[in-house]
Amino acid sequence: MECDVCGQTMWRWPVAPTAWEEEMWSCSWCHATTQVGGEWFEISRPDYLPAEMRWERAVADGLPTGVSHAFGVFDRTLCGIQETGMSPSDHWWLPERANACGACRAEASAIDERRPRAMRGEGARVSVARGL
């Protein structure tokens, strides 16, 4: 699948099939996500969110203490750390905090720069809902 934001190739998440035949896709370049299928949408393309609202804080036993890492896609931090059992927390990763990983901060900034300005506004991406 081609990313509707930047034109790069998207990668399908390795998730088990659901009753609604739902698929999740992520762009490895600009990190836009697309959901195909599901209960309400045929295609769901979430709008752009700024860095402080886009990434959850990563949690795992093997992560260094005192440093806050951003949970990216495919069970890795934005800086590339992959630990067994890593997951997103219920809290935002805030890049402006002093304990935010510098490499995660740099990657979040680079990802933001890859998103074309025209694709950052509300409704810039088209979602298609099922007819009722």
Side-chain angles (χ1 to χ4, degrees), residues 53-74:
M53 296 174 65
R54 184 180 310 164
W55 313 105
E56 290 93 0
R57 199 168 57 223
V59 292
D61 289 338
L63 287 174
T65 58
V67 178
S68 176
H69 289 273
F71 186 82
V73 294
F74 307 119

Side-chain angles (χ1 to χ4, degrees), residues 45-101:
R45 294 182 175 120
D47 286 327
Y48 167 83
L49 292 172
E52 64 274 4
M53 296 174 65
R54 184 180 310 164
W55 313 105
E56 290 93 0
R57 199 168 57 223
V59 292
D61 289 338
L63 287 174
T65 58
V67 178
S68 176
H69 289 273
F71 186 82
V73 294
F74 307 119
D75 299 332
R76 289 188 175 97
T77 64
L78 290 184
C79 67
I81 298 172
Q82 187 171 19
E83 292 287 338
T84 301
M86 184 167 25
S87 65
S89 72
D90 292 334
H91 305 284
W92 292 118
W93 173 75
L94 302 171
E96 70 276 2
R97 291 224 172 137
N99 71 337
C101 169

Side-chain angles (χ1 to χ4, degrees), residues 7-77:
Q8 299 293 317
T9 300
M10 296 185 93
W11 297 92
R12 184 176 179 191
W13 290 31
V15 294
T18 65
W20 299 294
E21 299 180 22
E22 185 176 63
E23 297 176 3
M24 293 293 296
W25 295 78
S26 287
C27 178
S28 58
W29 180 250
C30 74
H31 285 237
T33 59
T34 297
Q35 177 183 344
V36 179
E39 186 175 9
W40 299 106
F41 285 95
E42 291 178 21
I43 299 175
S44 176
R45 294 182 175 120
D47 286 327
Y48 167 83
L49 292 172
E52 64 274 4
M53 296 174 65
R54 184 180 310 164
W55 313 105
E56 290 93 0
R57 199 168 57 223
V59 292
D61 289 338
L63 287 174
T65 58
V67 178
S68 176
H69 289 273
F71 186 82
V73 294
F74 307 119
D75 299 332
R76 289 188 175 97
T77 64

